[in-house]
Amino acid sequence: MELDLVTLSQLPFIDTMDNMYYIHKMPFRQRQELVDILNSGDAWRDLGGYYMNYSTVDLDKFAMQVHKPGGSPADAMLSHWGQRNHTVLQLWKLLL
């Protein structure tokens, strides 16, 4: 996956994360920065399809969020993944 790891490492929650820092509890600003990174170049689709094991149908549902006001495919995918109690550390390991 080709994400700018320098940019990702600058996100404040990366330095303080532990195994129990859940995706759904990420601070809004930091989550939005991550969503912006994942939305650029559709990196969210690679992350979801290759590393999070989402199906093509799931990815297409997330992609449809772009048609809603304020909608974001990456945010929809992170919200869905976060509902399964995944942690920031688990996400970080996928991004490396």
Side-chain angles (χ1 to χ4, degrees):
M1 179 163 192
E2 295 182 27
L3 289 179
D4 185 354
L5 292 179
V6 173
T7 303
L8 285 173
S9 66
Q10 293 171 352
L11 295 174
F13 64 85
I14 296 298
D15 294 332
T16 61
M17 66 185 169
D18 61 35
N19 287 332
M20 299 310 291
Y21 199 93
Y22 294 106
I23 296 289
H24 66 270
K25 293 195 176 207
M26 283 176 66
F28 176 80
R29 191 172 128 224
Q30 286 81 11
R31 181 184 169 111
Q32 190 59 47
E33 288 178 41
L34 177 59
V35 164
D36 290 344
I37 292 168
L38 291 174
N39 277 332
S40 66
D42 285 340
W44 67 270
R45 188 177 283 277
D46 290 337
L47 176 64
Y50 294 119
Y51 300 99
M52 293 174 156
N53 298 315
Y54 278 114
S55 69
T56 303
V57 172
D58 290 330
L59 295 174
D60 288 345
K61 287 179 185 176
F62 299 142
M64 295 301 292
Q65 295 300 311
V66 76
H67 300 293
K68 295 182 178 179
S72 159
D75 190 50
M77 183 179 72
L78 285 179
S79 292
H80 188 267
W81 208 58
Q83 290 172 357
R84 295 190 166 104
N85 286 328
H86 287 285
T87 65
V88 173
L89 181 59
Q90 289 171 317
L91 177 61
W92 180 244
K93 286 179 179 179
L94 294 177
L95 294 171
L96 292 178

Coordinates of all heavy atoms in Angstrom, one line a residue:
M1 N 0.8 -1.2 0.0 CA 0.0 0.0 0.0 C 0.9 1.2 0.0 O 1.8 1.3 0.8 CB -0.9 0.0 1.2 CG -1.7 1.1 1.4 SD -2.9 0.6 2.5 CE -4.1 1.7 2.4
E2 N 0.6 2.2 -0.9 CA 1.5 3.3 -1.0 C 0.9 4.5 -0.3 O 0.3 5.4 -1.0 CB 1.8 3.6 -2.4 CG 2.6 2.5 -3.1 CD 2.9 2.8 -4.5 OE1 3.0 4.0 -4.9 OE2 3.0 1.8 -5.3
L3 N 1.0 4.6 1.0 CA 0.6 5.8 1.7 C 1.8 6.6 2.1 O 2.9 6.0 2.3 CB -0.2 5.4 3.0 CG -1.6 4.9 2.7 CD1 -2.3 4.5 4.0 CD2 -2.5 5.9 2.0
D4 N 1.7 7.8 2.3 CA 2.8 8.6 2.8 C 3.0 8.4 4.3 O 2.3 8.9 5.1 CB 2.5 10.1 2.5 CG 3.6 11.0 2.9 OD1 4.6 10.5 3.4 OD2 3.5 12.2 2.6
L5 N 3.9 7.5 4.6 CA 4.1 7.1 6.0 C 4.6 8.2 6.9 O 4.4 8.3 8.1 CB 5.0 5.9 6.1 CG 4.4 4.6 5.6 CD1 5.4 3.4 5.7 CD2 3.1 4.2 6.3
V6 N 5.3 9.2 6.2 CA 5.8 10.3 7.0 C 4.6 11.1 7.5 O 4.5 11.5 8.6 CB 6.7 11.2 6.1 CG1 7.1 12.5 6.8 CG2 8.0 10.4 5.8
T7 N 3.6 11.3 6.6 CA 2.4 12.0 6.9 C 1.7 11.3 8.0 O 1.2 11.9 9.0 CB 1.5 12.2 5.7 OG1 2.2 12.9 4.7 CG2 0.3 13.0 6.0
L8 N 1.5 10.0 7.9 CA 0.8 9.2 8.9 C 1.5 9.3 10.2 O 0.9 9.4 11.3 CB 0.7 7.7 8.5 CG -0.3 7.4 7.4 CD1 -0.1 6.0 6.9 CD2 -1.7 7.7 7.8
S9 N 2.8 9.2 10.3 CA 3.5 9.3 11.5 C 3.4 10.6 12.2 O 3.7 10.7 13.4 CB 5.0 8.9 11.3 OG 5.7 9.9 10.6
Q10 N 3.0 11.6 11.5 CA 2.8 13.0 12.1 C 1.5 13.1 12.8 O 1.3 14.1 13.5 CB 3.0 14.0 11.1 CG 4.4 14.1 10.5 CD 4.4 15.1 9.3 OE1 3.4 15.5 8.8 NE2 5.7 15.3 8.8
L11 N 0.6 12.1 12.7 CA -0.7 12.2 13.3 C -0.5 12.0 14.8 O 0.2 11.0 15.2 CB -1.7 11.1 12.8 CG -2.1 11.3 11.3 CD1 -2.9 10.1 10.9 CD2 -2.8 12.6 11.1
P12 N -1.0 12.9 15.7 CA -0.7 12.8 17.1 C -1.1 11.6 17.8 O -0.4 11.2 18.8 CB -1.5 14.0 17.7 CG -1.8 14.9 16.5 CD -1.8 14.0 15.3
F13 N -2.1 10.9 17.4 CA -2.5 9.7 18.1 C -1.6 8.5 17.9 O -1.6 7.5 18.6 CB -4.0 9.3 17.8 CG -4.2 8.9 16.4 CD1 -3.9 7.6 15.9 CD2 -4.6 9.8 15.4 CE1 -4.1 7.2 14.6 CE2 -4.8 9.5 14.1 CZ -4.5 8.2 13.7
I14 N -0.7 8.6 16.9 CA 0.2 7.5 16.6 C 1.2 7.3 17.7 O 1.5 6.2 18.1 CB 0.9 7.7 15.2 CG1 -0.1 7.7 14.1 CG2 2.0 6.7 15.0 CD1 -0.9 6.5 13.8
D15 N 1.7 8.4 18.3 CA 2.7 8.2 19.3 C 2.2 7.7 20.6 O 2.9 7.1 21.4 CB 3.4 9.6 19.6 CG 4.2 10.1 18.3 OD1 4.7 9.2 17.6 OD2 4.3 11.3 18.2
T16 N 0.9 7.9 20.9 CA 0.3 7.6 22.2 C -0.6 6.3 22.1 O -1.2 6.0 23.1 CB -0.5 8.7 22.7 OG1 -1.5 9.1 21.8 CG2 0.4 9.9 22.9
M17 N -0.7 5.7 21.0 CA -1.6 4.6 20.9 C -1.2 3.4 21.7 O 0.0 3.1 21.9 CB -1.8 4.2 19.4 CG -0.6 3.6 18.8 SD -1.0 3.4 17.0 CE 0.6 3.0 16.4
D18 N -2.2 2.6 22.1 CA -1.9 1.3 22.8 C -3.0 0.4 22.2 O -3.8 0.7 21.4 CB -2.0 1.5 24.3 CG -3.3 2.0 24.8 OD1 -4.4 1.6 24.2 OD2 -3.3 2.7 25.8
N19 N -2.9 -0.8 22.7 CA -3.8 -1.9 22.2 C -5.3 -1.6 22.4 O -6.1 -2.2 21.8 CB -3.5 -3.2 22.8 CG -2.2 -3.8 22.2 OD1 -1.8 -3.5 21.1 ND2 -1.5 -4.6 23.0
M20 N -5.6 -0.7 23.4 CA -7.0 -0.5 23.7 C -7.5 0.9 23.2 O -8.6 1.3 23.6 CB -7.2 -0.6 25.2 CG -6.9 -1.9 25.8 SD -7.6 -3.4 24.9 CE -9.3 -3.1 25.3
Y21 N -6.8 1.5 22.3 CA -7.3 2.8 21.7 C -8.1 2.4 20.5 O -7.6 2.2 19.4 CB -6.0 3.6 21.4 CG -6.3 5.1 21.2 CD1 -6.2 5.9 22.3 CD2 -6.8 5.6 20.0 CE1 -6.5 7.3 22.1 CE2 -7.0 6.9 19.8 CZ -6.9 7.8 20.9 OH -7.2 9.1 20.7
Y22 N -9.4 2.4 20.7 CA -10.3 2.0 19.7 C -10.5 3.0 18.6 O -10.5 4.2 18.8 CB -11.7 1.6 20.3 CG -11.6 0.4 21.2 CD1 -11.7 0.6 22.6 CD2 -11.4 -0.8 20.7 CE1 -11.6 -0.5 23.4 CE2 -11.3 -2.0 21.5 CZ -11.4 -1.8 22.8 OH -11.3 -2.9 23.7
I23 N -10.7 2.5 17.4 CA -11.0 3.4 16.2 C -12.1 4.4 16.5 O -12.0 5.5 16.2 CB -11.3 2.5 14.9 CG1 -10.1 1.7 14.5 CG2 -11.7 3.4 13.8 CD1 -8.9 2.4 13.9
H24 N -13.2 3.9 17.0 CA -14.4 4.7 17.2 C -14.2 5.8 18.3 O -15.0 6.6 18.5 CB -15.6 3.9 17.5 CG -15.6 3.1 18.8 ND1 -15.0 1.8 18.9 CD2 -15.9 3.4 20.1 CE1 -15.1 1.4 20.1 NE2 -15.7 2.4 20.9
K25 N -13.0 5.7 19.0 CA -12.8 6.7 20.1 C -11.7 7.7 19.6 O -11.2 8.5 20.4 CB -12.3 6.0 21.4 CG -13.5 5.3 22.0 CD -13.2 4.9 23.4 CE -14.4 4.2 23.9 NZ -14.6 4.4 25.3
M26 N -11.3 7.6 18.4 CA -10.2 8.6 17.9 C -10.8 10.0 17.9 O -12.0 10.2 17.6 CB -9.9 8.2 16.4 CG -9.0 7.1 16.2 SD -8.7 6.7 14.5 CE -7.8 8.1 14.0
P27 N -9.9 10.9 18.3 CA -10.3 12.3 18.3 C -10.7 12.8 16.8 O -10.1 12.3 15.9 CB -9.1 13.1 18.7 CG -8.3 12.1 19.5 CD -8.6 10.8 18.8
F28 N -11.7 13.6 16.7 CA -12.3 14.0 15.4 C -11.2 14.5 14.5 O -11.1 14.1 13.3 CB -13.4 15.0 15.6 CG -13.9 15.5 14.3 CD1 -14.8 14.8 13.6 CD2 -13.5 16.7 13.8 CE1 -15.3 15.2 12.3 CE2 -14.0 17.2 12.5 CZ -14.9 16.4 11.8
R29 N -10.4 15.4 15.0 CA -9.4 16.1 14.1 C -8.4 15.1 13.5 O -8.1 15.1 12.3 CB -8.7 17.2 14.9 CG -7.9 18.1 13.9 CD -7.3 19.3 14.7 NE -5.9 19.3 14.4 CZ -4.9 19.5 15.3 NH1 -5.2 19.8 16.5 NH2 -3.7 19.5 14.9
Q30 N -7.9 14.2 14.4 CA -7.0 13.2 13.9 C -7.6 12.2 13.0 O -7.0 11.8 12.0 CB -6.3 12.5 15.1 CG -5.3 13.3 15.9 CD -6.0 14.3 16.9 OE1 -7.2 14.2 17.1 NE2 -5.2 15.2 17.4
R31 N -8.8 11.8 13.3 CA -9.6 10.9 12.4 C -9.8 11.5 11.1 O -9.6 10.9 10.0 CB -10.9 10.5 13.0 CG -11.6 9.5 12.2 CD -13.0 9.2 12.8 NE -13.8 8.5 11.9 CZ -14.2 7.2 12.0 NH1 -13.8 6.5 13.0 NH2 -15.0 6.6 11.1
Q32 N -10.1 12.8 11.0 CA -10.4 13.5 9.8 C -9.1 13.6 9.0 O -9.1 13.5 7.7 CB -11.0 14.9 10.0 CG -11.4 15.6 8.8 CD -12.5 14.8 8.1 OE1 -13.5 14.3 8.7 NE2 -12.4 14.6 6.8
E33 N -8.0 13.8 9.6 CA -6.7 13.9 8.9 C -6.4 12.5 8.3 O -6.0 12.4 7.1 CB -5.6 14.2 9.9 CG -5.6 15.7 10.3 CD -4.5 16.0 11.3 OE1 -3.3 15.5 11.1 OE2 -4.7 16.7 12.2
L34 N -6.7 11.4 9.0 CA -6.5 10.1 8.5 C -7.4 9.8 7.3 O -7.0 9.3 6.3 CB -6.7 9.0 9.6 CG -6.5 7.6 9.1 CD1 -5.2 7.3 8.5 CD2 -6.8 6.7 10.3
V35 N -8.7 10.2 7.4 CA -9.7 10.1 6.4 C -9.3 10.8 5.1 O -9.3 10.3 4.0 CB -11.1 10.5 6.9 CG1 -12.0 10.7 5.7 CG2 -11.6 9.5 7.9
D36 N -8.7 12.0 5.3 CA -8.3 12.8 4.1 C -7.1 12.1 3.4 O -7.1 12.1 2.2 CB -7.8 14.2 4.6 CG -9.0 15.1 5.0 OD1 -10.2 14.7 4.7 OD2 -8.7 16.1 5.7
I37 N -6.2 11.5 4.2 CA -5.1 10.8 3.6 C -5.6 9.6 2.8 O -5.2 9.3 1.7 CB -4.1 10.3 4.7 CG1 -3.4 11.6 5.2 CG2 -3.1 9.3 4.1 CD1 -2.6 11.3 6.5
L38 N -6.5 8.8 3.5 CA -7.1 7.6 2.8 C -7.9 7.9 1.6 O -8.0 7.1 0.6 CB -7.9 6.8 3.8 CG -7.0 6.1 4.9 CD1 -8.0 5.5 6.0 CD2 -6.1 5.1 4.4
N39 N -8.6 9.0 1.6 CA -9.5 9.4 0.5 C -8.7 9.8 -0.7 O -9.1 9.7 -1.9 CB -10.5 10.5 0.9 CG -11.7 10.0 1.5 OD1 -12.1 8.8 1.3 ND2 -12.3 10.8 2.4
S40 N -7.5 10.4 -0.5 CA -6.7 10.8 -1.6 C -6.2 9.6 -2.4 O -5.6 8.7 -1.9 CB -5.5 11.7 -1.1 OG -4.6 10.9 -0.4
G41 N -6.5 9.6 -3.7 CA -6.0 8.5 -4.5 C -6.7 7.2 -4.3 O -6.3 6.2 -4.6
D42 N -7.9 7.3 -3.5 CA -8.6 6.1 -3.2 C -7.8 5.0 -2.5 O -8.0 3.8 -2.6 CB -9.3 5.5 -4.4 CG -10.5 6.2 -4.9 OD1 -11.0 7.0 -4.1 OD2 -10.8 6.1 -6.1
A43 N -6.9 5.5 -1.6 CA -6.1 4.5 -0.8 C -6.9 3.7 0.1 O -6.6 2.6 0.4 CB -5.0 5.3 0.0
W44 N -8.1 4.2 0.5 CA -9.0 3.5 1.3 C -9.4 2.2 0.7 O -9.6 1.2 1.4 CB -10.3 4.3 1.7 CG -11.1 4.6 0.5 CD1 -11.0 5.7 -0.4 CD2 -12.2 3.8 0.0 NE1 -12.0 5.6 -1.4 CE2 -12.7 4.4 -1.1 CE3 -12.8 2.6 0.5 CZ2 -13.8 3.9 -1.9 CZ3 -13.8 2.1 -0.3 CH2 -14.3 2.7 -1.4
R45 N -9.6 2.2 -0.6 CA -10.1 1.0 -1.4 C -9.0 -0.1 -1.3 O -9.3 -1.3 -1.1 CB -10.4 1.3 -2.8 CG -11.0 0.2 -3.6 CD -11.4 0.6 -5.0 NE -12.6 1.4 -5.0 CZ -13.9 0.9 -5.0 NH1 -14.1 -0.4 -4.9 NH2 -14.9 1.7 -5.1
D46 N -7.7 0.2 -1.4 CA -6.7 -0.7 -1.3 C -6.6 -1.3 0.1 O -6.4 -2.5 0.3 CB -5.3 -0.1 -1.7 CG -5.2 0.1 -3.2 OD1 -5.9 -0.5 -4.0 OD2 -4.4 1.0 -3.6
L47 N -6.7 -0.4 1.1 CA -6.6 -0.8 2.5 C -7.8 -1.7 2.8 O -7.6 -2.8 3.4 CB -6.7 0.4 3.4 CG -6.8 0.2 4.9 CD1 -5.5 -0.5 5.4 CD2 -7.0 1.5 5.6
G48 N -9.0 -1.4 2.4 CA -10.1 -2.2 2.7 C -10.1 -3.5 2.0 O -10.5 -4.6 2.5
G49 N -9.8 -3.5 0.7 CA -9.8 -4.7 -0.1 C -8.7 -5.7 0.1 O -8.9 -6.9 0.3
Y50 N -7.5 -5.2 0.2 CA -6.3 -6.0 0.4 C -6.0 -6.4 1.8 O -5.5 -7.5 2.1 CB -5.1 -5.4 -0.3 CG -5.2 -5.3 -1.8 CD1 -5.1 -4.0 -2.4 CD2 -5.4 -6.4 -2.6 CE1 -5.3 -3.9 -3.8 CE2 -5.5 -6.3 -4.0 CZ -5.4 -5.0 -4.5 OH -5.5 -4.9 -5.9
Y51 N -6.2 -5.5 2.7 CA -5.7 -5.6 4.1 C -6.8 -5.9 5.1 O -6.6 -6.5 6.1 CB -4.9 -4.5 4.5 CG -3.7 -4.3 3.6 CD1 -3.7 -3.4 2.6 CD2 -2.5 -5.1 3.7 CE1 -2.6 -3.2 1.7 CE2 -1.5 -5.0 2.9 CZ -1.5 -4.0 1.9 OH -0.4 -3.9 1.0
M52 N -8.0 -5.3 4.9 CA -9.1 -5.5 5.9 C -10.1 -6.6 5.4 O -11.0 -6.9 6.1 CB -9.9 -4.1 6.0 CG -9.1 -3.1 6.7 SD -10.1 -1.5 6.7 CE -9.3 -0.6 8.0
N53 N -9.8 -7.1 4.3 CA -10.6 -8.2 3.7 C -12.1 -7.9 3.5 O -12.9 -8.8 3.6 CB -10.5 -9.5 4.6 CG -9.1 -10.0 4.6 OD1 -8.4 -10.0 3.6 ND2 -8.6 -10.3 5.8
Y54 N -12.3 -6.6 3.1 CA -13.7 -6.3 2.7 C -14.0 -6.8 1.3 O -13.1 -6.8 0.4 CB -13.9 -4.8 2.7 CG -14.2 -4.2 4.1 CD1 -13.3 -3.4 4.7 CD2 -15.4 -4.6 4.7 CE1 -13.6 -2.9 6.0 CE2 -15.7 -4.1 6.0 CZ -14.8 -3.2 6.6 OH -15.1 -2.8 7.9
S55 N -15.2 -7.2 1.0 CA -15.6 -7.7 -0.3 C -15.8 -6.5 -1.3 O -15.9 -5.3 -0.8 CB -16.9 -8.4 -0.2 OG -18.0 -7.6 0.1
T56 N -15.9 -6.8 -2.5 CA -16.1 -5.8 -3.6 C -17.4 -5.1 -3.3 O -17.6 -3.9 -3.5 CB -16.1 -6.4 -5.0 OG1 -14.9 -7.1 -5.1 CG2 -16.3 -5.4 -6.0
V57 N -18.4 -5.8 -2.9 CA -19.7 -5.3 -2.6 C -19.6 -4.3 -1.4 O -20.2 -3.2 -1.5 CB -20.8 -6.4 -2.2 CG1 -22.1 -5.8 -1.7 CG2 -21.0 -7.3 -3.4
D58 N -18.9 -4.6 -0.4 CA -18.7 -3.7 0.8 C -18.0 -2.4 0.3 O -18.4 -1.3 0.7 CB -17.9 -4.4 1.9 CG -18.6 -5.5 2.6 OD1 -19.9 -5.4 2.7 OD2 -17.9 -6.4 3.1
L59 N -16.9 -2.6 -0.5 CA -16.2 -1.5 -1.0 C -17.1 -0.6 -1.8 O -17.0 0.7 -1.7 CB -14.9 -1.9 -1.7 CG -13.9 -2.7 -0.9 CD1 -12.8 -3.2 -1.8 CD2 -13.3 -1.8 0.2
D60 N -17.9 -1.1 -2.6 CA -18.8 -0.3 -3.5 C -19.8 0.4 -2.6 O -20.2 1.6 -2.9 CB -19.6 -1.2 -4.5 CG -18.7 -1.7 -5.6 OD1 -17.5 -1.2 -5.8 OD2 -19.0 -2.7 -6.3
K61 N -20.3 -0.2 -1.5 CA -21.2 0.5 -0.6 C -20.5 1.7 0.0 O -21.1 2.8 0.2 CB -21.7 -0.4 0.5 CG -22.7 -1.4 0.0 CD -23.2 -2.4 1.1 CE -24.1 -3.4 0.6 NZ -24.4 -4.4 1.7
F62 N -19.2 1.5 0.4 CA -18.5 2.6 1.0 C -18.3 3.7 0.0 O -18.3 4.9 0.3 CB -17.1 2.2 1.5 CG -17.2 1.1 2.6 CD1 -16.3 0.1 2.7 CD2 -18.2 1.2 3.6 CE1 -16.3 -0.8 3.7 CE2 -18.2 0.3 4.6 CZ -17.3 -0.8 4.7
A63 N -18.0 3.3 -1.3 CA -17.8 4.3 -2.3 C -19.0 5.2 -2.6 O -18.8 6.3 -3.0 CB -17.3 3.6 -3.6
M64 N -20.2 4.6 -2.4 CA -21.4 5.4 -2.6 C -21.5 6.6 -1.6 O -22.3 7.5 -1.9 CB -22.6 4.5 -2.5 CG -22.7 3.4 -3.6 SD -22.7 4.1 -5.2 CE -24.3 4.8 -5.2
Q65 N -20.8 6.5 -0.6 CA -20.9 7.6 0.4 C -20.5 9.0 -0.2 O -20.8 10.0 0.4 CB -20.1 7.3 1.7 CG -20.6 6.1 2.4 CD -22.0 6.3 2.9 OE1 -22.3 7.3 3.5 NE2 -22.8 5.3 2.7
V66 N -19.7 8.9 -1.2 CA -19.2 10.1 -1.8 C -20.3 10.9 -2.4 O -20.2 12.2 -2.6 CB -18.1 9.8 -2.9 CG1 -18.7 9.3 -4.2 CG2 -17.2 11.0 -3.1
H67 N -21.5 10.3 -2.7 CA -22.6 11.0 -3.2 C -23.5 11.6 -2.2 O -24.5 12.3 -2.6 CB -23.5 10.0 -4.1 CG -22.7 9.4 -5.2 ND1 -22.2 10.2 -6.3 CD2 -22.2 8.2 -5.4 CE1 -21.5 9.4 -7.1 NE2 -21.5 8.2 -6.6
K68 N -23.2 11.4 -0.9 CA -24.0 12.0 0.1 C -23.3 13.3 0.6 O -22.1 13.4 0.6 CB -24.1 11.1 1.3 CG -24.9 9.9 1.0 CD -25.1 9.0 2.2 CE -25.9 7.8 1.9 NZ -26.0 6.9 3.1
P69 N -24.0 14.3 1.0 CA -23.4 15.6 1.5 C -22.5 15.3 2.7 O -22.9 14.6 3.6 CB -24.6 16.5 1.9 CG -25.7 15.9 1.2 CD -25.5 14.4 1.0
G70 N -21.2 15.6 2.5 CA -20.3 15.4 3.6 C -19.8 13.9 3.7 O -19.1 13.6 4.6
G71 N -20.2 13.1 2.8 CA -19.9 11.7 2.8 C -18.5 11.4 2.4 O -17.9 12.1 1.6
S72 N -18.0 10.3 2.9 CA -16.6 10.0 2.6 C -16.5 8.4 2.7 O -16.8 7.8 3.7 CB -15.7 10.6 3.7 OG -14.5 9.9 3.8
P73 N -16.0 7.8 1.6 CA -15.8 6.4 1.6 C -14.8 5.9 2.7 O -15.1 4.9 3.4 CB -15.2 6.1 0.2 CG -15.5 7.3 -0.6 CD -15.6 8.4 0.3
A74 N -13.7 6.6 2.9 CA -12.8 6.2 4.0 C -13.4 6.3 5.4 O -13.2 5.4 6.2 CB -11.5 7.1 3.9
D75 N -14.2 7.4 5.6 CA -14.8 7.5 6.9 C -15.9 6.4 7.1 O -16.0 5.9 8.2 CB -15.5 8.9 7.0 CG -15.9 9.2 8.4 OD1 -15.1 9.0 9.4 OD2 -17.1 9.6 8.6
A76 N -16.6 6.1 6.1 CA -17.6 5.0 6.2 C -16.9 3.7 6.5 O -17.4 2.9 7.3 CB -18.4 4.9 4.9
M77 N -15.8 3.4 5.8 CA -15.1 2.2 6.1 C -14.5 2.1 7.5 O -14.7 1.1 8.2 CB -14.0 2.0 5.0 CG -13.3 0.7 5.2 SD -12.0 0.5 3.9 CE -10.8 1.7 4.5
L78 N -13.9 3.2 7.9 CA -13.4 3.2 9.3 C -14.5 3.1 10.3 O -14.3 2.4 11.3 CB -12.6 4.5 9.5 CG -11.2 4.6 8.9 CD1 -10.6 6.0 9.2 CD2 -10.3 3.5 9.3
S79 N -15.6 3.7 10.1 CA -16.7 3.6 11.0 C -17.2 2.1 11.1 O -17.4 1.6 12.2 CB -17.9 4.5 10.6 OG -17.6 5.8 10.7
H80 N -17.3 1.5 10.0 CA -17.8 0.1 9.9 C -16.7 -0.8 10.6 O -17.1 -1.6 11.5 CB -18.0 -0.4 8.5 CG -18.6 -1.7 8.4 ND1 -17.8 -2.8 8.3 CD2 -19.9 -2.1 8.4 CE1 -18.6 -3.9 8.2 NE2 -19.9 -3.4 8.2
W81 N -15.5 -0.6 10.4 CA -14.4 -1.4 11.0 C -14.3 -1.1 12.5 O -14.1 -2.0 13.3 CB -13.1 -1.1 10.3 CG -12.1 -2.2 10.3 CD1 -12.3 -3.4 9.8 CD2 -10.8 -2.1 10.8 NE1 -11.1 -4.2 10.0 CE2 -10.2 -3.4 10.6 CE3 -10.1 -1.1 11.5 CZ2 -8.9 -3.7 11.0 CZ3 -8.8 -1.4 11.9 CH2 -8.2 -2.7 11.6
G82 N -14.5 0.2 12.9 CA -14.5 0.5 14.3 C -15.6 -0.1 15.1 O -15.5 -0.3 16.3
Q83 N -16.8 -0.3 14.4 CA -17.9 -0.9 15.1 C -17.6 -2.4 15.5 O -18.3 -2.9 16.4 CB -19.1 -0.9 14.2 CG -19.7 0.4 14.0 CD -20.8 0.5 13.0 OE1 -21.1 -0.5 12.4 NE2 -21.4 1.7 12.8
R84 N -16.5 -2.9 15.0 CA -16.1 -4.3 15.4 C -15.0 -4.2 16.4 O -14.3 -5.2 16.6 CB -15.7 -5.0 14.1 CG -16.8 -5.2 13.2 CD -16.4 -6.2 12.1 NE -17.5 -6.6 11.3 CZ -17.9 -6.2 10.1 NH1 -17.2 -5.3 9.5 NH2 -18.9 -6.7 9.5
N85 N -14.9 -3.1 17.1 CA -13.9 -2.9 18.2 C -12.4 -3.1 17.8 O -11.6 -3.6 18.5 CB -14.2 -3.8 19.4 CG -15.4 -3.2 20.1 OD1 -15.6 -2.0 20.2 ND2 -16.2 -4.1 20.7
H86 N -12.1 -2.7 16.5 CA -10.7 -2.7 16.1 C -10.0 -1.5 16.7 O -10.6 -0.5 17.0 CB -10.6 -2.7 14.6 CG -11.0 -4.0 14.0 ND1 -10.2 -5.1 14.0 CD2 -12.1 -4.3 13.3 CE1 -10.7 -6.1 13.4 NE2 -11.9 -5.6 12.9
T87 N -8.7 -1.6 16.9 CA -7.9 -0.6 17.6 C -7.1 0.2 16.6 O -6.9 -0.3 15.4 CB -7.0 -1.2 18.6 OG1 -6.0 -2.0 18.0 CG2 -7.7 -2.0 19.7
V88 N -6.6 1.3 17.0 CA -5.7 2.2 16.2 C -4.5 1.4 15.9 O -3.9 1.4 14.8 CB -5.4 3.5 16.9 CG1 -4.4 4.3 16.1 CG2 -6.7 4.3 17.0
L89 N -4.0 0.6 16.9 CA -2.8 -0.2 16.7 C -3.0 -1.2 15.5 O -2.1 -1.4 14.7 CB -2.3 -0.9 17.9 CG -1.1 -1.7 17.9 CD1 0.1 -0.8 17.4 CD2 -0.8 -2.3 19.2
Q90 N -4.1 -1.8 15.5 CA -4.4 -2.8 14.5 C -4.4 -2.1 13.1 O -3.9 -2.6 12.1 CB -5.8 -3.5 14.7 CG -5.8 -4.4 15.9 CD -7.1 -4.9 16.2 OE1 -8.1 -4.2 16.2 NE2 -7.3 -6.2 16.5
L91 N -5.0 -0.9 13.0 CA -5.0 -0.2 11.8 C -3.6 0.2 11.4 O -3.2 0.1 10.2 CB -5.9 1.1 12.0 CG -6.0 2.0 10.8 CD1 -6.5 1.3 9.5 CD2 -6.8 3.2 11.1
W92 N -2.8 0.7 12.3 CA -1.5 1.1 12.1 C -0.6 0.0 11.5 O 0.1 0.2 10.5 CB -0.8 1.7 13.3 CG 0.6 2.1 13.2 CD1 1.7 1.6 13.8 CD2 1.0 3.2 12.4 NE1 2.8 2.3 13.4 CE2 2.4 3.3 12.6 CE3 0.4 4.2 11.6 CZ2 3.2 4.3 11.9 CZ3 1.2 5.1 10.9 CH2 2.6 5.2 11.1
K93 N -0.8 -1.2 12.0 CA -0.1 -2.4 11.5 C -0.5 -2.7 10.1 O 0.4 -3.1 9.3 CB -0.3 -3.6 12.4 CG 0.4 -3.5 13.7 CD 0.1 -4.7 14.6 CE 0.8 -4.6 15.9 NZ 0.5 -5.8 16.8
L94 N -1.7 -2.5 9.7 CA -2.1 -2.7 8.3 C -1.5 -1.6 7.4 O -1.2 -1.9 6.3 CB -3.7 -2.6 8.2 CG -4.4 -3.7 8.9 CD1 -5.9 -3.5 8.8 CD2 -4.1 -5.1 8.4
L95 N -1.3 -0.4 7.9 CA -0.8 0.7 7.1 C 0.7 0.6 6.9 O 1.2 1.2 6.0 CB -1.2 2.0 7.7 CG -2.6 2.4 7.8 CD1 -2.9 3.6 8.6 CD2 -3.2 2.5 6.4
L96 N 1.4 -0.2 7.7 CA 2.8 -0.3 7.6 C 3.1 -1.2 6.5 O 3.5 -1.7 5.8 CB 3.5 -0.8 8.9 CG 3.4 0.2 10.0 CD1 4.1 -0.4 11.2 CD2 4.2 1.5 9.6

